Amino acid sequence: MDSTRVTEQPTSFERPQPGVDPVEPCGALLPAPPPARVPGTGAALPVQGRSGGEPPASGAASPGPSGATSPGTVTPGGSGQDPAAAPGSEHSQPGAGQGAGPDTHRPRPAPEGIPVQPAAGQGRTGQAPDGTERRSGQVTPPGRPTPMRRDGDRLRFVGAATRRIARGIDLDEIVMGLCRATVPTFSDAILVYLRDPLPVGDERPTGPLVLRLRRTDRIPAERDTEGGFMPVAAPPEPSELDSVGEELCTVRPGSALAEVLRGVRPVFTDAPAARAALPELLGEDGASAVPDGQRAILAPLRGRRRVIGAALFLRRPERIPFEADDLLVAAQLATHSALGIDKAVLYGREAYIADELQRTMLPETLPRCTGVRLASRYLPAAETARVGGDWYDAIPLPGSRVALVVGDVMGHSMTSAAIMGQLRTTAQTLAGLDLPPQEVLHHLDEQAQRLGVDRMATCLYAVYDPVSHRITIANAGHPPPILLELGGRAEVLRVPAGAPIGVGGVDFEAVELEAPAGATLLLYTDGLVESRLRDVWTGIEQLREKLAATAQLTGPDHPPPLEALCDEVLDMLGPGDRDDDIALLAARFDGIAPTDVAYWFLEPEDAAPGRARRLARRALTRWGMEELSDSVELLVSEVVTNAVRYATRPVTLRLLRTDVLRCEVGDDVPQLPRLRQARATDEGGRGLYLVNRLARRWGATRLSTGKVVWFELNHG
């Protein structure tokens, strides 16, 4: 496990303090450097005293000729008298008594952070010269981190550890911060249990209290006491702490563990209640591996309203046990961790809601439309704000046409996303009515005004007809689209700018342009081309140049792949270009060749179904699809018969040969047919039933001048 020693020190304290052994980040002690010598004298320089009045280490003294100089004295030239102690010396300190070490500088304040743990054998408060702790009488092995012996050490440790915990945003970061802050400075091992599932906010958890082991950290068994950790060739022998902990624990009501968790305060595991709770938390084997005495602390993790877990701090038998003041340290760590976990869970829920909202507002997949291929991208403004007002859509229309929509609501907040969802739904409804693009924008403008006076958005609505190879575009204050032709020429289309949606009282214009086969139309929002570093028209020109350069790589006869083209477009974004969310929609116009289209007008008379069957048979023979003649003749006859029965104007019949065979029958009656089960005595009502059974897909779409009933069949 990672046992990195957690230290938080300002940059000015990065150099090691004189007289204090340097410590590796992993917690191992490095050998102290030898004291410097005065040039020409061979005497050691004085060691600077530690903060808090601690005397320097005895190893810093330089023995005089007699070899009996006291610690902290310097005997230059072999003399036993310190010249700095003489009256009037430039090294004398005001108010210094006889006991003050000569040439002693003012102690610098210790850096804020987790206190450095001195090694065994060094002079320090609370330790005898033989390496034993005066208060406990136990020997600390060399290189083993020792517990904090002063209240100042504990305060500095708690401050550094809580800052480490507070830096985490999500659940894993907070738990990892707790583990790495405590091991090895405070404990040799830690086990963190969290409630499964974690309650969110004010919701009341249902079911029994279940604790799941979330993370464990411990000091590796093998250490290099001189220079830190040593890589081992073989796995180390398992220690008694390696067997502690079970993955899952169910807290029974009224049990010893439930009582300890209800008490909230950390307790030593040698207490009767905690000792009885360990088998329930760790299992029988794990409880027996916990060291005896005050070498383990069980700390409940309580959030704002309830206990959400527990932390177990462990020390090995050879290390000094915990003290009573360490319970306060454990309580501080548990409190900060639990509150951080509570906030992380709430943040995770909000991020989940935002992601779900944005995902439902945007299309999950783009439709497969005849004669056009589609690709899209969406990028939020930032990882912490995943919702926004940008959207795109592709809506199939009658006659194998497709509507391409891209829009941008002002802002990138939850409110903007909600307004975007309403406008997108309105656009889909209007597209289903087969209204012209300018009429769609007009109704969107009215809807935005009904939502509020400050609900403004830009939108571009285009309709592509693969049969006529034409595209009709209407714009409402949106950046113009770019058309990339097959030869590699990229052109910014000249479309009327229009006013944004929500202004009101304005008219929108539509323009009809050529859409040659092999060309690519790129619709985008202003987040792609506008930022703090460039204006919108500079970004549009850079985008046009990027598209032209990408098309040159594939040659004049092959357009670039759509997915790769979208990725290349997004690569033009620099570090300062992500000020707004980005929606991108690319459409590759394949079109339908005139030789793959058959179109007729039929008078609404009784002979129309027979004529429709003959025309369909001839077209299938010309295309080499005679195997579909029987099915197509039957279905065309049924649909045309139903149209002629109610139509007052000529009925249209169109066959399209693409990857499927599509048949479309249009009339001037707005009522849509419905599938129903005919009774045995009914003379009609079975036409749509046959269409539903034999066709691959079928449907009916209402037009402004009537309706279109269509069906598709697979061909070899």
Side-chain angles (χ1 to χ4, degrees):
M1 288 292 179
D2 190 357
S3 58
T4 304
R5 184 181 181 87
V6 180
T7 57
E8 295 190 3
Q9 299 180 359
T11 306
S12 58
F13 295 106
E14 289 182 354
R15 294 190 298 270
Q17 297 287 336
V20 179
D21 291 340
V23 180
E24 285 284 358
C26 57
L29 296 168
L30 296 179
R37 299 287 177 174
V38 177
T41 63
L45 292 177
V47 177
Q48 181 178 350
R50 302 184 183 184
S51 61
E54 292 188 37
S58 58
S62 175
S66 61
T69 56
S70 61
T73 61
V74 180
T75 312
S79 174
Q81 184 178 358
D82 183 8
S89 172
E90 62 178 354
H91 299 288
S92 60
Q93 300 293 333
Q98 297 295 332
D103 199 26
T104 304
H105 299 281
R106 295 180 182 270
R108 289 185 294 177
E112 183 181 4
I114 297 178
V116 174
Q117 301 296 322
Q122 292 181 337
R124 60 185 178 190
T125 303
Q127 188 178 40
D130 58 353
T132 61
E133 288 290 334
R134 291 173 179 158
R135 297 168 63 177
S136 63
Q138 298 187 8
V139 179
T140 302
R144 178 69 62 187
T146 58
M148 293 160 285
R149 310 302 297 172
R150 294 174 297 175
D151 293 339
D153 291 343
R154 290 188 174 89
L155 289 176
R156 285 193 294 272
F157 166 73
V158 170
T162 52
R163 285 193 299 274
R164 178 70 177 267
I165 296 170
R167 281 200 299 263
I169 297 179
D170 58 14
L171 182 61
D172 292 333
E173 289 180 351
I174 294 174
V175 175
M176 183 178 64
L178 170 64
C179 294
R180 294 192 172 180
T182 55
V183 178
T185 307
F186 183 69
S187 63
D188 292 328
I190 182 175
L191 288 81
V192 181
Y193 286 84
L194 295 182
R195 193 164 190 157
D196 187 26
L198 280 168
V200 181
D202 297 333
E203 68 179 19
R204 292 182 176 274
T206 59
L209 173 59
V210 178
L211 299 180
R212 181 179 295 275
L213 184 61
R214 185 77 183 191
R215 184 181 175 91
T216 63
D217 268 4
R218 55 176 56 87
I219 300 177
E222 297 207 3
R223 300 170 58 92
D224 177 20
T225 59
E226 295 296 330
F229 289 103
M230 286 287 291
V232 294
E237 294 293 332
S239 65
E240 69 283 352
L241 296 183
D242 294 333
S243 59
V244 176
E246 284 192 350
E247 182 70 20
L248 208 61
C249 164
T250 302
V251 182
R252 300 184 303 273
S255 63
L257 180 58
E259 294 299 326
V260 172
L261 296 179
R262 187 179 296 112
V264 177
R265 298 180 181 275
V267 294
F268 292 119
T269 55
D270 61 349
R275 179 56 62 179
L278 286 180
E280 187 177 354
L281 179 64
L282 308 176
E284 295 294 338
D285 296 337
S288 61
V290 175
D292 296 331
Q294 295 182 355
R295 300 185 184 276
I297 296 177
L298 181 59
L301 303 178
R302 179 177 176 83
R304 295 185 301 167
R305 288 175 174 83
R306 61 185 63 86
V307 173
I308 60 174
L312 183 62
F313 305 93
L314 300 170
R315 284 184 180 175
R316 300 180 185 273
E318 64 269 16
R319 188 172 176 182
I320 298 173
F322 290 108
E323 300 176 357
D325 292 341
D326 291 328
L327 291 177
L328 301 178
V329 176
Q332 288 290 328
L333 297 176
T335 299
H336 283 274
S337 301
L339 293 178
I341 290 171
D342 251 0
K343 294 178 181 179
V345 173
L346 287 173
Y347 171 78
R349 174 60 65 87
E350 291 182 358
Y352 170 77
I353 293 175
D355 287 343
E356 286 296 313
L357 176 62
Q358 189 70 43
R359 188 176 296 110
T360 54
M361 295 299 181
L362 297 176
E364 293 184 3
T365 58
L366 294 174
R368 296 185 59 183
C369 303
T370 303
V372 62
R373 286 174 287 172
L374 304 171
S376 63
R377 294 290 187 273
Y378 175 81
L379 291 180
E383 290 296 326
T384 55
R386 295 178 178 270
V387 293
D390 292 14
W391 91 90
Y392 61 89
D393 213 341
I395 308 169
L397 298 179
S400 300
R401 297 171 300 154
V402 58
L404 307 174
V405 191
V406 64
D408 183 6
V409 179
M410 293 179 57
H412 41 80
S413 61
M414 300 282 283
T415 303
S416 301
I419 297 173
M420 177 266 287
Q422 298 182 62
L423 293 180
R424 177 174 177 250
T425 303
T426 304
Q428 288 180 331
T429 304
L430 296 173
L433 300 177
D434 197 27
L435 298 178
Q438 64 272 21
E439 291 295 326
V440 172
L441 294 183
H442 175 72
H443 289 291
L444 283 177
D445 179 61
E446 293 180 341
Q447 175 67 12
Q449 295 181 60
R450 285 191 290 266
L451 295 176
V453 294
D454 57 345
R455 308 309 188 199
M456 298 181 62
T458 63
C459 182
L460 191 143
Y461 189 93
V463 176
Y464 170 66
D465 190 345
V467 177
S468 62
H469 296 270
R470 307 282 293 180
I471 185 169
T472 306
I473 305 175
N475 190 15
H478 202 78
I482 298 178
L483 184 67
L484 179 63
E485 298 181 0
L486 187 60
R489 178 175 177 268
E491 177 187 3
V492 180
L493 298 182
R494 297 181 179 181
V495 296
I501 290 173
V503 174
V506 296
D507 191 19
F508 299 99
E509 300 179 20
V511 58
E512 186 174 350
L513 304 171
E514 289 285 342
T520 303
L521 184 68
L522 196 71
L523 309 178
Y524 53 91
T525 56
D526 58 355
L528 180 64
V529 295
E530 185 181 19
S531 68
R532 294 171 295 176
L533 305 179
R534 59 185 177 186
D535 61 88
V536 60
W537 289 109
T538 301
I540 292 175
E541 181 61 23
Q542 293 178 0
L543 176 59
R544 188 195 64 80
E545 295 175 354
K546 181 70 173 180
L547 291 174
T550 304
Q552 295 295 330
L553 299 177
T554 57
D557 300 330
H558 302 281
L562 273 184
E563 299 293 338
L565 182 64
C566 292
D567 294 335
E568 288 292 331
V569 167
L570 295 181
D571 286 342
M572 65 176 285
L573 296 173
D577 295 338
R578 291 289 302 279
D579 300 330
D580 196 2
D581 46 340
I582 299 171
L584 177 65
L585 179 62
R588 173 71 44 77
F589 299 141
D590 294 334
I592 301 177
T595 56
D596 294 330
V597 180
Y599 192 84
W600 304 279
F601 287 94
L602 304 174
E603 292 296 330
E605 55 187 11
D606 295 340
R611 184 166 180 262
R613 289 194 297 269
R614 292 190 299 272
L615 294 174
R617 186 186 310 114
R618 293 174 187 173
L620 294 177
T621 302
R622 185 172 66 251
W623 291 337
M625 303 170 64
E626 294 86 350
E627 70 278 1
L628 297 179
S629 296
D630 295 338
S631 300
V632 172
E633 289 182 30
L634 175 60
L635 299 183
V636 166
S637 178
E638 293 293 338
V639 176
V640 171
T641 299
N642 187 72
V644 170
R645 181 178 301 174
Y646 305 101
T648 58
R649 296 181 180 179
V651 176
T652 60
L653 172 63
R654 185 165 71 169
L655 295 180
L656 303 174
R657 184 184 65 168
T658 57
D659 54 343
V660 296
L661 178 66
R662 182 183 178 96
C663 176
E664 299 174 350
V665 177
D667 57 58
D668 61 343
V669 180
Q671 286 79 15
L672 299 181
R674 294 183 180 180
L675 182 64
R676 65 184 181 89
Q677 187 71 34
R679 294 175 295 182
T681 57
D682 291 342
E683 296 182 359
R686 297 176 177 84
L688 288 182
Y689 178 77
L690 293 174
V691 174
N692 185 61
R693 291 296 301 270
L694 299 179
R696 173 180 174 266
R697 289 195 312 158
W698 77 278
T701 306
R702 182 180 287 111
L703 305 178
S704 57
T705 58
K707 69 174 181 295
V708 168
V709 180
W710 56 269
F711 63 85
E712 294 177 352
L713 293 173
N714 292 321
H715 60 82

